[in-house]
Amino acid sequence: MPRLSDTMEEGAISTWRKQPGDAVSVGDPLVEIETDKAVMEYEAYQAGTLAKILVPEGETVEIGAPIALIDDGSGAGEADSRPEESTPKSGSPERARPAPSAPAPAPAPAAPVNGTGTNGNGSGARQLASPLVRKIAREKHLDLSGVTGTGPGGRIIRADINGLPGVNAPVPAPSAEPAAPDQPTSPAPADAAQSAPAGDDVRGSRSVPVSNVRRVIARRLSASASEVPHFYVTAVADAEALMDLRATLNGQLTAAGRDKISVNDLLIRAVGLALREHPDVNVSYAEDGAATLLVHDRINVGVAVAAESGLIVPVIRDADTKTVTQLGTEARQLISLAGERKLTPEQTSGGTFTISNLGMFGVEHFTAIINPPESAILAVGATTKEPAVVGDTIVPRYRLRYTLSVDHRVIDGALAARFLKTLTGLVESPWMIVA
């Protein structure tokens, strides 16, 4: 399983483009892999014949795990294609597997694998294991000393420990004996889809697979919400001039046969200019206690897109140097690719600030969770007509609300307020956005 994006930790097999027995040339599309951001085509880097598919479509494995065997003519792939009967390489111990017929005794608690990779049994032998395997070993007190790793460099991966006692232990079926009168039955465990009752008449529940994208979103945003100290600053701008400018520009663009611009296009440009004036908002902070932070000279604005598979944030690079029409064209292309799950790693990485706009859904105000490793995100609401005081008269005016979520470890309230003041000034004097 290759690493296809900067945040990828595991991948799911979407579609095999080759089948066992097919000839494979270097550069041939071999498999489509679902990452945390897109479905990407992976090309073969070795010629030969596809001997065996190790990971079927729909399954997820971590980076570095073998997913297929290609026979290059030496016969190695053909020999390895026999399931669980492969002859061990010379000089390497055969993988210890428990006999399927008799239950193995419970293992004695073993010292957890430490940071140096030794197994903790005093032998000093180096025990390479993936982070997931180390976590499982600690939780289930597994002894990994007798396990032979099949991952890169002999690393022990998740598949290597599936046969060990206590791993993937089946969940006991609920007792068929009826409960005694006046005694409530215990609820079924909810930690696995397989343990849910076949029919939940009370809630009408059904199991729906969670996509790889959605799992990564859950993990990363949970970490952001729990580890990054958020605070929020909201501002309201008079958007009457902004809407007038947009209407004027769109009239001229339509007459010229060009695409119209949106409020979001104008805001991307305005945010780029505001970040140029306040570079201390365009930063990243690695972790608590770090001695340095990253101040980004380039202003790369991510645009949150609600794709069918989940939240995707394609990135517009150098947003402060592009015209509004250029930003609009690029944003439409990225949003289209996000919907088709065809974004490349370059189009979803390198962001320094994110805009999340729910105004098109009629949402007036909301707060957003920061997209790590950035330090701020702007939540934009709808542009709506409201009563406003102009001089001594109450008149209807377009008003726009937006909320800045910031990382309080590196951005203070006064800096956030100054950034929003600059942004509001641009929205209320929109010719400065296109100047």
Side-chain angles (χ1 to χ4, degrees):
M1 177 61 66
R3 181 186 295 275
L4 299 176
S5 75
D6 54 344
T7 57
M8 179 180 174
E9 296 180 2
E10 61 184 12
I13 301 299
S14 177
T15 305
W16 280 104
R17 302 287 293 274
K18 298 284 188 178
Q19 296 300 320
D22 290 350
V24 177
S25 300
V26 175
D28 281 354
L30 185 62
V31 61
E32 293 180 4
I33 297 174
E34 179 186 355
T35 72
D36 55 330
K37 296 178 179 177
V39 175
M40 306 182 65
E41 196 174 72
Y42 181 57
E43 297 179 351
Y45 58 86
Q46 176 182 354
T49 302
L50 183 60
K52 183 181 179 182
I53 291 175
L54 302 178
V55 181
E57 294 179 359
E59 288 198 9
T60 301
V61 296
E62 63 182 14
I63 292 173
I67 60 175
L69 299 176
I70 294 180
D71 185 359
D72 61 358
S74 64
E78 184 177 343
D80 290 342
S81 66
R82 296 191 298 270
E84 309 300 345
E85 297 179 3
S86 302
T87 303
K89 296 179 181 180
S90 175
S92 63
E94 195 167 342
R95 183 185 305 178
R97 295 185 180 276
S101 57
V113 178
N114 60 28
T116 61
T118 58
N119 58 19
N121 59 9
S123 65
R126 183 165 181 79
Q127 195 78 29
L128 295 175
S130 70
L132 176 60
V133 169
R134 292 199 300 269
K135 179 176 182 292
I136 295 174
R138 287 194 299 268
E139 292 176 350
K140 298 185 178 294
H141 305 291
L142 301 179
D143 184 2
L144 302 178
S145 60
V147 179
T148 300
T150 61
R155 173 179 297 202
I156 299 174
I157 59 176
R158 180 66 171 85
D160 298 329
I161 64 172
N162 282 340
L164 295 181
V167 180
N168 291 338
V171 179
S175 173
E177 183 179 350
D182 300 326
Q183 291 181 358
T185 57
S186 299
D191 57 347
Q194 291 84 354
S195 64
D200 189 336
D201 296 332
V202 177
R203 296 177 297 175
S205 305
R206 56 192 175 91
S207 297
V208 178
V210 178
S211 69
N212 193 42
V213 173
R214 177 58 61 187
R215 292 200 305 271
V216 172
I217 292 170
R219 183 173 66 248
R220 297 187 71 215
L221 294 188
S222 294
S224 176
S226 61
E227 297 173 6
V228 177
H230 288 56
F231 80 93
Y232 311 95
V233 184
T234 300
V236 183
D238 186 321
E240 191 74 17
L242 182 77
M243 300 303 289
D244 288 344
L245 173 62
R246 176 173 174 262
T248 300
L249 290 175
N250 281 342
Q252 296 176 356
L253 291 170
T254 301
R258 298 168 59 183
D259 292 329
K260 295 181 179 181
I261 61 171
S262 67
V263 172
N264 205 55
D265 301 333
L266 291 163
L267 285 176
I268 293 172
R269 168 72 173 165
V271 163
L273 295 176
L275 288 172
R276 185 194 297 175
E277 188 167 334
H278 301 281
D280 289 342
V281 178
N282 198 45
V283 299
S284 294
Y285 189 54
E287 59 185 12
D288 287 336
T292 61
L293 58 84
L294 295 176
V295 179
H296 309 295
D297 293 330
R298 298 179 65 180
I299 296 173
N300 302 334
V301 177
V303 180
V305 177
E308 184 177 349
S309 58
L311 183 67
I312 306 295
V313 185
V315 176
I316 299 177
R317 300 179 186 274
D318 303 313
D320 59 322
T321 65
K322 297 175 180 177
T323 67
V324 175
T325 52
Q326 287 176 326
L327 293 172
T329 299
E330 189 170 346
R332 283 189 295 273
Q333 291 173 345
L334 292 173
I335 291 171
S336 175
L337 291 173
E340 299 171 1
R341 306 198 65 184
K342 294 182 178 179
L343 291 167
T344 65
E346 291 76 15
Q347 292 169 325
T348 57
S349 61
T352 62
F353 187 97
T354 296
I355 295 177
S356 181
N357 191 340
L358 294 180
M360 65 286 295
F361 300 107
V363 174
E364 294 185 1
H365 170 263
F366 70 104
T367 58
I369 299 176
I370 295 170
N371 183 29
E374 300 166 14
S375 294
I377 182 172
L378 186 72
V380 181
T383 305
T384 57
K385 284 277 191 179
E386 297 179 5
V389 177
V390 178
D392 295 329
T393 307
I394 298 178
V395 296
R397 304 277 292 186
Y398 279 108
R399 306 272 281 179
L400 174 62
R401 286 176 174 80
Y402 34 73
T403 298
L404 184 69
S405 305
V406 297
D407 183 348
H408 209 339
R409 296 175 300 178
V410 289
I411 299 176
D412 295 327
L415 175 57
R418 288 195 296 269
F419 172 84
L420 282 188
K421 182 178 180 181
T422 299
L423 180 62
T424 300
L426 291 167
V427 171
E428 295 182 345
S429 302
W431 285 105
M432 296 299 297
I433 297 175
V434 297

